[in-house]
Amino acid sequence: DDVSMKIPAGAHIALVGPSGGGKTTLASLVARFWDVKDGSIKIGGADVKNIDTKKLMEEVSYVFQDSKLLKTSILENIRMGRPDATDEVMQALSAAQCMDIIEKFPEGVHTMIGSKGIYVSGGEAQRLSIARAFLKNAPILILDEATAFADPDNERLVQKAFENLAKDKTVIMIAHRLSTVTDADCIYVLKDGKIAENGTHEELSAKNGIYTHMWKEYNKSVNWQVGRKGETA
């Protein structure tokens, strides 16, 4: 409600805030998963409602927090955005830190997901979805809590894949783990569907507002450890 922002081409911005604040809804408007009732969403000065759907999908890649793979080969899953791709598939898989996944299956990229008990973990599925985004190579990248289901080992690889993928792109990142957004060009704090605060990590940390509180709570959760019975955590 009453949200206004301008994201320069090539900028990396983050949307943070309490659950239900509107982060995913706001990011989804860019890809026209929903349309605004008032105001407009523009890419390069053109209203997204006036951009051909196929063209819009070429401009935007969206990596969800719970990426699903189709019951087909890894190759076909990766080529969804570019069905005619050939050699670039392996390049995308390598850049997305997926080669360990490919190498553990005898049939490599031709492995059929979901057949004969062949499945991948949430973190592995996330890296494969990033490879799909690599291959598509859209200039606008939306990352929605994209490390949410990754275990510590996979999270490290996912983060490395993101670093590669985000180069030279306009990035909108929705994040719960605030450590992933400290380098963003601008952080927008959403609460109750409105922008409550915005600025860099340093600027928001100095305001002693919602973000400052979130950052303190986040660091408490990161530093919290479970001690043995009778010990202080």
Side-chain angles (χ1 to χ4, degrees):
D1 181 31
D2 196 29
V3 168
S4 180
M5 62 172 68
K6 185 174 183 178
I7 306 171
H12 290 191
I13 70 114
L15 305 177
V16 304
S19 296
K23 302 182 294 294
T24 295
T25 301
L26 182 58
S28 297
L29 296 174
V30 179
R32 282 197 76 188
F33 294 160
W34 297 282
D35 278 333
V36 293
K37 294 179 179 178
D38 298 301
S40 61
I41 307 291
K42 296 181 179 180
I43 296 177
D47 193 315
V48 292
K49 292 181 180 179
N50 298 326
I51 300 175
D52 177 77
T53 302
K54 184 175 183 294
K55 175 62 177 174
L56 180 60
M57 289 301 94
E58 290 174 354
E59 295 294 313
V60 182
S61 283
Y62 204 117
V63 180
F64 298 91
Q65 61 176 301
D66 186 13
S67 293
K68 301 294 185 184
L69 298 178
L70 301 181
K71 289 188 175 181
T72 183
S73 70
I74 291 175
L75 176 64
E76 293 308 310
N77 268 286
I78 303 307
R79 292 204 302 192
M80 283 177 61
R82 279 183 59 196
D84 60 336
T86 53
D87 296 343
E88 302 97 327
V89 174
M90 295 309 295
Q91 295 170 12
L93 285 164
S94 178
Q97 311 294 300
C98 293
M99 295 313 294
D100 63 313
I101 305 172
I102 306 304
E103 289 166 0
K104 75 177 181 179
F105 295 122
E107 295 182 25
V109 293
H110 300 290
T111 301
M112 301 295 288
I113 299 295
S115 68
K116 300 178 182 177
I118 293 176
Y119 297 96
V120 294
S121 70
E124 289 173 335
Q126 207 61 332
R127 282 188 274 148
L128 290 170
S129 71
I130 295 170
R132 181 189 296 160
F134 258 111
L135 190 62
K136 184 177 176 183
N137 199 29
I140 299 171
L141 176 64
I142 300 174
L143 308 174
D144 188 353
E145 296 275 17
T147 61
F149 295 98
D151 57 57
D153 287 340
N154 266 297
E155 184 182 5
R156 176 180 57 80
L157 293 169
V158 169
Q159 289 291 359
K160 179 62 178 176
F162 280 152
E163 289 175 16
N164 294 338
L165 179 58
K167 290 175 183 175
D168 303 318
K169 289 182 173 57
T170 303
V171 179
I172 300 172
M173 179 187 295
I174 301 168
H176 175 70
R177 295 173 181 170
L178 296 185
S179 60
T180 62
V181 303
T182 55
D183 292 331
D185 296 309
C186 189
I187 301 169
Y188 292 89
V189 182
L190 269 73
K191 183 179 181 183
D192 300 326
K194 296 179 180 290
I195 296 176
E197 301 172 342
N198 67 279
T200 64
H201 170 73
E202 290 74 18
E203 291 168 347
L204 292 174
S205 298
K207 284 186 176 180
N208 201 30
I210 298 172
Y211 184 84
T212 307
H213 176 72
M214 289 175 58
W215 181 248
K216 288 178 180 177
E217 290 300 310
Y218 171 76
N219 280 290
K220 281 183 185 178
S221 69
V222 171
N223 294 325
W224 186 79
Q225 296 178 353
V226 179
R228 293 178 182 173
K229 187 175 179 180
E231 292 182 354
T232 302

